[in-house]
Amino acid sequence: MKKLNYRLVIFILAAIFGIVFTIPSFINKEPKINLGLDLQGGMYLVLGVKGNEAVKSKIKTIASTIKYITDKKELFIDNLKTTDNSVKFELIDKDDAPKLDKELKILKGVVIQKTPKNGSIEYVIKLTPEAIKKTKEDALNQAIQTIRSRLDAFGLAEPTVTKQGKDKILVELPGIKTPKEQKSVQQLISTSAHLELYAVDDEHRAVTPKDAAKYGDILLPSKSNPNIKYLLKTPPVLDGSMITDATVGFTQKTNQPAIFFTLNSQGAQIFGDFTGKNVGKRLAIVVDNKVYSAPVIQERIGGGSGQITVGSPEEAHVLAIALRSGSLPAPVMLLEKRSVGASLGADSIRQSMIALITGFVVVVVFMAWYYSTAGIIADIALVVNLFLIIAIMALFGATLTLPGMAGIVLTVGMAVDANVIINERIRELIREGKPIKTAIEGGYANAMSAILDANITTLIAALALFAYGTGTIKGFAITMAIGIMASMLTAILGTHGIWEYLLASGKKITTKSFGMKV
């Protein structure tokens, strides 16, 4: 045991670690490497975000805020209306203007125009161009986060959701193969889950949206029967941005599937105030512009909770995930959809494995033939290197893609390249007449700078690819980075430790051990 050295001990421990954590990937147990979309098949989507809808939603939120402020401060306004890019209303008493102006300072990124009209003041509030641009950018970024959260909550392994260009979202879903799975995931992604609560206007009647607009209302269809329309007062009382939780359950009376939602403190206060002032009137629960129910308010509802009755447990499950993950700030549209079949993935795996095994065998045979014992030691380091790459990727749940397999093949070449440099340096020192032990130590010392230069520059390139690349490019970068670090451990530390052990054990080491004829 005294002949062991710290380099060899580290190498042995690394080999054990690599073998132990590589095995689960081959027997389909955890932890294992996840295969990417290109290897196991799945679904590929390109989505667009309707930025103008995000601006409209922002305008509606501003209108709701104004309604809440003026009700709370008892500032009387009339004809509160929204257009695509502005909010209009009339302040009845012009003397209240200073008080209202003070309250409106909480609105950011808006331009406020005031026009006196026969004792009242007409307010027109618009978003600035900068605010509109930022709203659209925020909508895209928030949509990415929301979709990613929904897919994680759905239990999908290694979904990829990234920004593509300035206004698109790329979604890659490995393992989604059956039409049923594709439909469920597509519904989950595309559901805006925009919850709004509206007061029902039972005082007027309207058949068309144009008629509804005369009263400052909107006309929305029922979820269960599109032929039934509800006339709703705008702006909404509150929206889903104030939801803190949403769970699936069943109603006590009818045992129907339902979503039970909870509002934050602000939402709870608004909800409680509204229901307290409107007992006996109807409140419509609207999700994505469809009225799920419009119950009559029996009493003030405190606590900030409510329920949405839906058609099936599956629908409740998807909608609850969407509500918990937050609503999409704007609807998304499907621009491109592709399915990668399992047969293509299997073919990719087969061809990649052929390339990997062929390259590995050729390198191993060449090293053993050309460098003799030194080549065999390099081959041992190469095998451990492969185990380490697979083990680390499995342990961190990394995804192996087709470019990732190319990264492994590239790493095999780089790992053996380090040993070629070391062996050549040792050979040079032997030719200069140095003793074997001195030549080995000198060979490692002389080769170190060249090996470090090559590996560090490649590692920097891998980090840059990971930082700025997307999808499979990241997979290639991760594999290459792990391979480089593993090769530094095995090719330099490991082989050096083996030589030190052989020297300490008194094994006969000659020039032939390095493939030299004399």
Side-chain angles (χ1 to χ4, degrees):
M1 292 296 289
K2 292 182 179 179
K3 296 168 185 173
L4 289 176
N5 56 80
Y6 79 91
R7 292 188 176 94
L8 185 59
V9 171
I10 294 175
F11 181 69
I12 292 172
L13 291 176
I16 294 172
F17 171 84
I19 293 170
V20 168
F21 287 101
T22 294
I23 291 173
S25 293
F26 289 95
I27 59 175
N28 202 27
K29 300 287 185 183
E30 296 293 339
K32 65 178 182 179
I33 289 183
N34 297 308
L35 298 181
L37 179 69
D38 50 356
L39 293 181
Q40 67 165 317
M43 192 161 65
Y44 172 100
L45 302 171
V46 178
L47 308 171
V49 176
K50 297 179 180 178
N52 289 333
E53 294 298 322
V55 175
K56 290 181 184 177
S57 179
K58 180 86 172 177
I59 290 292
K60 288 169 71 175
T61 301
I62 292 174
S64 297
T65 303
I66 292 171
K67 180 77 168 54
Y68 178 69
I69 289 173
T70 52
D71 285 348
K72 188 175 182 181
K73 299 296 180 181
E74 296 183 345
L75 301 171
F76 299 103
I77 63 172
D78 194 14
N79 295 324
L80 176 61
K81 295 179 181 177
T82 61
T83 64
D84 288 350
N85 59 1
S86 68
V87 179
K88 292 182 181 178
F89 64 92
E90 196 173 326
L91 180 65
I92 303 299
D93 187 351
K94 66 179 181 181
D95 293 336
D96 287 336
K99 190 175 178 181
L100 178 60
D101 292 344
K102 182 181 178 182
E103 297 294 334
L104 293 181
K105 286 182 179 176
I106 64 170
L107 302 177
K108 305 298 181 187
V110 299
V111 176
I112 302 176
Q113 298 174 350
K114 296 188 292 185
T115 306
K117 293 178 66 177
N118 300 325
S120 62
I121 299 178
E122 183 186 69
Y123 278 73
V124 178
I125 301 176
K126 293 182 178 179
L127 290 173
T128 63
E130 293 78 15
I132 292 174
K133 181 181 177 183
K134 187 173 185 306
T135 300
K136 291 181 178 179
E137 290 175 351
D138 290 346
L140 181 65
N141 293 327
Q142 188 181 335
I144 291 172
Q145 294 297 327
T146 302
I147 292 172
R148 188 176 292 147
S149 298
R150 289 180 182 181
L151 294 175
D152 288 341
F154 198 71
L156 292 177
E158 293 298 314
T160 301
V161 185
T162 54
K163 186 176 177 180
Q164 188 178 61
K166 293 182 178 179
D167 56 355
K168 297 182 180 65
I169 300 172
L170 172 65
V171 181
E172 292 181 337
L173 302 168
I176 299 297
K177 298 169 186 173
T178 66
K180 184 178 179 182
E181 290 174 333
Q182 292 183 3
K183 184 179 178 183
S184 295
V185 171
Q186 202 169 323
Q187 182 185 358
L188 179 67
I189 292 175
S190 60
T191 299
S192 294
H194 193 200
L195 171 68
E196 294 172 307
L197 302 183
Y198 282 93
V200 178
D201 188 351
D202 288 318
E203 299 169 1
H204 302 100
R205 291 189 177 278
V207 178
T208 65
K210 190 175 180 180
D211 294 337
K214 292 178 183 176
Y215 309 114
D217 296 344
I218 57 172
L219 204 60
L220 294 181
S222 165
K223 172 70 169 57
S224 57
N225 185 353
N227 293 324
I228 299 175
K229 307 285 185 183
Y230 288 87
L231 188 62
L232 308 176
K233 295 180 179 179
T234 58
V237 178
L238 53 79
D239 60 33
S241 63
M242 298 175 185
I243 284 183
T244 58
D245 192 19
T247 57
V248 179
F250 293 88
T251 58
Q252 290 184 348
K253 292 183 179 178
T254 60
N255 201 33
Q256 278 186 284
I259 299 160
F260 297 88
F261 62 86
T262 306
L263 301 168
N264 62 18
S265 57
Q266 183 186 359
Q269 183 177 355
I270 295 173
F271 193 50
D273 291 347
F274 177 82
T275 52
K277 294 177 182 176
N278 292 275
V279 173
K281 297 180 180 177
R282 292 195 295 166
L283 177 69
I285 299 174
V286 178
V287 179
D288 294 342
N289 292 325
K290 293 178 181 175
V291 180
Y292 276 65
S293 61
V296 176
I297 301 170
Q298 303 293 342
E299 59 183 355
R300 183 184 185 278
I301 303 174
S305 61
Q307 68 180 49
I308 306 170
T309 306
V310 295
S312 66
E314 291 78 14
E315 184 184 4
H317 176 63
V318 171
L319 189 55
I321 290 175
L323 289 173
R324 278 200 303 272
S325 306
S327 64
L328 290 174
V332 296
M333 50 190 170
L334 183 62
L335 301 178
E336 183 181 350
K337 174 184 173 184
R338 279 190 280 138
S339 296
V340 179
S343 58
L344 177 60
D347 191 48
S348 300
I349 293 174
R350 185 179 60 80
Q351 292 182 4
S352 300
M353 288 303 294
I354 290 174
L356 179 60
I357 293 172
T358 303
F360 184 79
V361 170
V362 169
V363 167
V364 166
V365 171
F366 173 79
M367 289 296 289
W369 169 76
Y370 192 74
Y371 288 109
S372 185
T373 305
I376 294 173
I377 292 175
D379 289 342
I380 294 172
L382 198 57
V383 172
V384 175
N385 185 33
L386 278 179
F387 279 127
L388 274 179
I389 294 173
I390 297 173
I392 294 172
M393 290 186 70
L395 204 57
F396 288 97
T399 300
L400 181 63
T401 61
L402 197 57
M405 296 189 77
I408 294 177
V409 176
L410 179 62
T411 302
V412 168
M414 292 194 63
V416 81
D417 181 59
N419 282 117
V420 168
I421 295 173
I422 292 169
N423 290 335
E424 288 301 323
R425 294 289 184 271
I426 294 173
R427 279 181 163 192
E428 289 172 2
L429 292 173
I430 291 174
R431 291 192 191 98
E432 292 174 4
K434 303 288 184 184
I436 293 295
K437 183 176 181 181
T438 306
I440 291 174
E441 294 299 326
Y444 276 93
N446 295 341
M448 189 61 70
S449 61
I451 296 172
L452 286 178
D453 284 349
N455 282 283
I456 290 174
T457 51
T458 309
L459 188 60
I460 292 172
L463 293 175
L465 286 175
F466 181 78
Y468 297 104
T470 59
T472 55
I473 300 299
K474 283 182 180 288
F476 174 77
I478 290 172
T479 308
M480 192 164 67
I482 293 173
I484 290 169
M485 290 185 283
S487 72
M488 298 275 279
L489 175 67
T490 56
I492 301 174
L493 196 74
T495 58
H496 197 174
I498 293 174
W499 282 119
E500 286 183 337
Y501 175 77
L502 294 176
L503 288 170
S505 302
K507 302 292 183 184
K508 187 179 180 181
I509 302 174
T510 65
T511 55
K512 290 184 179 180
S513 301
F514 295 93
M516 301 173 72
K517 294 181 179 178
V518 291

